[in-house]
């Protein structure tokens, strides 16, 4: 039936879904898109919704699709594995192949362990850090996301009243139903601010088991670390005997084949990986120094997971890592170059129409901000971005066939090409023209 609503079928489907699937979505984050779309197909960098609209996909399943959709090597690897046993709950060779690859690629990885979600991987490294140091407190940074579980869903979002004064940060809960005393096990610090961190560590450093950080804060506006910040973290954690944990669930196998740690030449004690690691299959991992990692087998640190080391996911991971490692990491170099071209193009188009915008990020992960600030370097800068303008931009650019995350983030894959870059920048120009009118 002809309709003027280009999203009519998606809207009808979510109405139907709401009667059986809570809120109509499998993750509440997905309800935040301007229109929660249903997809019928996707290839490479493009996806087609059930109304037949085609998009350049910059959501990429919230990060995993580093090789785009249905990459032939991945399809072939999963297909081969699909006709073999799906789960052993025991050892098989793919575990060795992928962990060996990770040890070769990632500087901190002397040992690797697989699990299913990023949230689980984070819990494992925090437990390891507490066991290894015999200390309880974890220092996390405001605005950093480390999964949805009680121990870390803290000081991630909230208004200025939650944040408190920058020199006296309060840890605050981010969910109803969260165990209230989660806040007692965590100290929070402003990100990209070594001076303030030093002051906190001078007072409480001896109680802190680990400092955990996203090396680039992709979850709050793709904040890049100031020169020396990550190096400073390394020095300060060593001085007080705390471990340094990089949460590379996003940056790992997206920023570079060795993760952000290889780009910034800072090797943490432990790191977490997920998303791009499986290329779209459910897989995460943690890795780090052997003497710490081995505690989960020999040191009495509790850990488990029925689906850990799942063969189908590991087949996907092996194909993904092989593709990313080929030709000296050309795939990620390309993804990052395409992303930087998009960032430049969007920023220039915004300037052309007098729209105050900043595009942050490292290329394969970007974030569009509407702000009068010259740069967005801290979580508090990020919170100043104009959310209404962003919502309008996202709604308009969706109509132009650009699909990006509801917080303004864009992920770029190894199969986005100059054609996608040009089309995206042109779409942004058109939207800015309308916003400026
Ligand atoms: C940096 C970071 N850590 C942890 C997680 C949690 O991963 P998952 O959603 O797989 O549980 C995410 C998810 O977005 C993340 O971005």
């Amino acid at each position: 039936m002809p309709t003027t609503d280009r999203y009519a079928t998606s809207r009808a489907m979510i109405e139907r879904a709401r009667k059986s699937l809570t809120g109509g979505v499998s993750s509440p984050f997905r309800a935040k898109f301007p229109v929660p779309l249903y997809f019928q197909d996707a290839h490479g960098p493009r996806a087609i919704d059930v109304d037949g609209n085609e998009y350049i996909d910059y959501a990429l399943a919230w990060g995993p699709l580093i090789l785009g959709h249905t990459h032939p090597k991945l399809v072939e690897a999963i297909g081969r594995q699909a006709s073999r046993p799906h789960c052993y709950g025991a050892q098989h060779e793919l575990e060795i192949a992928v962990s060996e690859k990770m040890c070769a690629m990632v500087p901190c990885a002397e040992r690797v362990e697989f699990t299913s979600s990023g949230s689980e991987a984070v819990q494992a490294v925090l437990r390891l850090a507490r066991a290894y140091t015999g200390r309880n407190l974890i220092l996390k940074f405001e605005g950093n996301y480390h999964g949805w579980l009680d121990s870390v869903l803290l000081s991630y979002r909230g208004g200025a009243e939650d944040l408190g004064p920058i020199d006296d940060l309060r840890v605050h809960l981010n969910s109803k139903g969260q165990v209230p005393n989660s806040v007692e096990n965590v100290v929070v610090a402003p990100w990209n601010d070594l001076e303030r961190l030093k002051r906190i560590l001078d007072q409480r450093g001896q109680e802190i088991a680990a400092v955990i950080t996203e090396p680039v804060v992709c979850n709050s506006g793709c904040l890049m670390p100031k020169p020396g910040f990550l190096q400073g973290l390394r020095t300060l954690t060593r001085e007080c005997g705390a471990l340094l944990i990089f949460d590379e669930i996003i940056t790992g196998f997206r920023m570079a084949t060795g993760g952000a740690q290889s780009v910034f030449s800072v090797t943490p004690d432990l790191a977490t990986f997920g998303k791009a690691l499986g290329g779209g299959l459910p897989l995460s991992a943690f890795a780090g120094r052997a003497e710490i990692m081995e505690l989960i087998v020999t040191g009495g640190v509790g850990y488990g997971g029925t689906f850990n080391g799942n063969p189908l996911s590991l087949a996907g991971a092996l194909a993904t890592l092989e593709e990313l490692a080929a030709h000296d990491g050309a795939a990620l170099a390309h993804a990052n170059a395409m992303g930087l071209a998009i960032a430049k193009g969007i920023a220039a188009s915004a300037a052309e129409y007098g729209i105050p915008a900043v595009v942050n990020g490292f290329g394969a992960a970007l974030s569009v901000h509407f702000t009068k600030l010259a740069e967005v370097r801290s979580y508090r800068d990020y919170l100043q971005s104009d959310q209404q303008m962003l919502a309008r931009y996202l709604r308009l650019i969706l109509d132009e066939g650009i699909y990006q995350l509801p917080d303004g983030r864009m992920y770029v894959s190894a199969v986005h090409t100059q054609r996608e870059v040009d089309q995206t920048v042109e779409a942004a120009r058109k939207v800015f023209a309308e916003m400026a009118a």
Side-chain angles (χ1 to χ4, degrees):
M1 204 167 65
T3 171
T4 51
D5 180 1
R6 54 188 276 129
Y7 309 111
T9 315
S10 279
R11 290 192 210 278
M13 286 178 79
I14 201 156
E15 275 314 308
R16 178 182 147 208
R18 282 193 182 114
K19 297 188 179 109
S20 56
L21 184 65
T22 315
V25 288
S26 294
S27 161
F29 287 106
R30 299 179 196 170
K32 296 185 174 162
F33 281 91
V35 184
L37 296 177
Y38 279 75
F39 288 95
Q40 56 169 318
D41 208 356
H43 294 286
R46 291 173 188 256
I48 301 171
D49 73 12
V50 285
D51 287 285
N53 302 306
E54 185 180 290
Y55 304 90
I56 303 178
D57 188 357
Y58 293 104
L60 296 179
W62 295 76
L65 301 173
I66 193 65
L67 300 178
H69 294 274
T70 55
H71 189 282
K73 296 248 170 74
L74 200 53
V75 171
E76 199 266 327
I78 303 166
R80 206 177 335 117
Q81 193 60 39
S83 58
R84 311 210 53 233
H86 296 154
C87 208
Y88 294 108
Q91 293 57 252
H92 58 104
E93 198 174 354
L94 278 168
E95 294 175 311
I96 307 177
V98 180
S99 59
E100 281 177 352
K101 272 227 152 343
M102 286 182 69
C103 287
M105 290 164 97
V106 177
C108 82
E110 291 174 5
R111 296 287 187 278
V112 171
E113 197 69 17
F114 298 112
T115 184
S116 300
S117 71
S119 296
E120 286 175 275
V122 168
Q123 298 310 303
V125 290
L126 297 183
R127 186 173 282 179
L128 278 172
R130 287 182 166 120
Y132 182 77
T133 59
R135 302 172 179 183
N136 176 43
L137 285 180
I138 300 295
L139 187 144
K140 85 173 282 287
F141 294 97
E142 59 179 15
N144 280 222
Y145 180 70
H146 302 295
W148 65 274
L149 300 180
D150 278 11
S151 57
V152 285
L153 192 61
L154 299 163
S155 299
Y156 164 57
R157 280 287 175 273
E161 70 287 354
D162 294 314
L163 293 176
I166 196 157
D167 283 311
D168 183 21
L169 292 187
R170 288 185 298 264
V171 187
H172 63 88
L173 301 168
N174 284 118
S175 172
K176 289 190 176 158
Q178 197 172 1
V179 175
N181 65 9
S182 304
V183 298
E184 291 167 19
N185 303 317
V186 169
V187 176
V188 72
W191 196 75
N192 244 350
D193 188 337
L194 270 186
E195 278 312 304
R196 287 195 168 85
L197 178 67
K198 190 168 178 337
R199 263 179 261 152
I200 294 171
L201 292 181
D202 282 346
Q203 282 179 9
R204 307 201 67 181
Q206 300 306 315
E207 302 167 70
I208 289 176
V211 171
I212 184 167
T213 188
E214 290 183 61
V216 174
V217 186
C218 296
N219 285 296
S220 291
C222 287
L223 308 173
M224 297 296 287
K226 287 182 184 160
F229 177 67
L230 296 175
Q231 288 78 359
L233 283 189
R234 184 64 281 184
T235 308
L236 291 175
T237 45
R238 280 216 177 96
E239 279 171 10
C240 69
L243 299 186
L244 179 61
I245 301 172
F246 279 1
D247 183 345
E248 297 230 42
I249 301 277
I250 295 177
T251 50
F253 308 111
R254 171 164 289 282
M255 191 170 196
T257 51
Q261 56 191 275
S262 67
V263 175
F264 295 109
S265 304
V266 176
T267 305
D269 300 291
L270 294 165
T272 53
F273 298 88
K275 298 199 187 256
L277 169 62
L281 279 290
L283 180 67
S284 71
F286 52 101
R289 278 166 48 199
E291 61 172 329
I292 310 171
M293 293 288 293
E294 294 289 352
L295 293 177
I296 59 175
V297 179
T298 56
V301 173
Y303 172 69
T306 302
F307 294 114
N308 291 355
N310 177 266
L312 208 54
S313 295
L314 286 177
L318 189 59
T320 303
L321 296 188
E322 278 172 353
E323 193 61 17
L324 295 182
H327 311 295
D328 223 8
L332 287 187
H334 173 81
N336 281 292
M338 292 296 105
L340 290 177
I342 291 166
K344 204 168 150 202
I346 293 179
S349 304
E352 195 183 322
Y353 288 97
I355 305 273
V358 167
V359 186
N360 261 16
F362 54 84
L366 302 171
S367 200
V368 181
H369 303 269
F370 294 95
T371 178
K372 294 204 164 63
L373 297 174
E375 49 177 29
V376 178
R377 288 311 271 275
S378 74
Y379 180 54
R380 284 162 198 247
D381 291 348
Y382 167 69
L383 290 181
Q384 288 182 45
S385 301
D386 186 328
Q387 293 305 312
Q388 278 183 347
M389 269 182 102
L390 177 66
R392 178 147 188 246
Y393 174 79
L394 292 176
R395 183 64 186 77
L396 291 171
I397 203 136
L398 186 71
D399 289 349
E400 297 303 319
I402 305 297
Y403 184 65
Q404 64 186 85
L405 292 185
D407 63 2
R409 216 176 326 171
M410 302 174 84
Y411 288 123
V412 182
S413 81
V415 296
H416 283 72
T417 66
Q418 190 62 43
R419 182 169 157 242
E420 277 75 38
V421 174
D422 294 343
Q423 197 178 324
T424 303
V425 173
E426 193 42 45
R429 275 187 93 245
K430 203 167 156 197
V431 169
F432 291 138
E434 187 165 343
M435 289 170 77

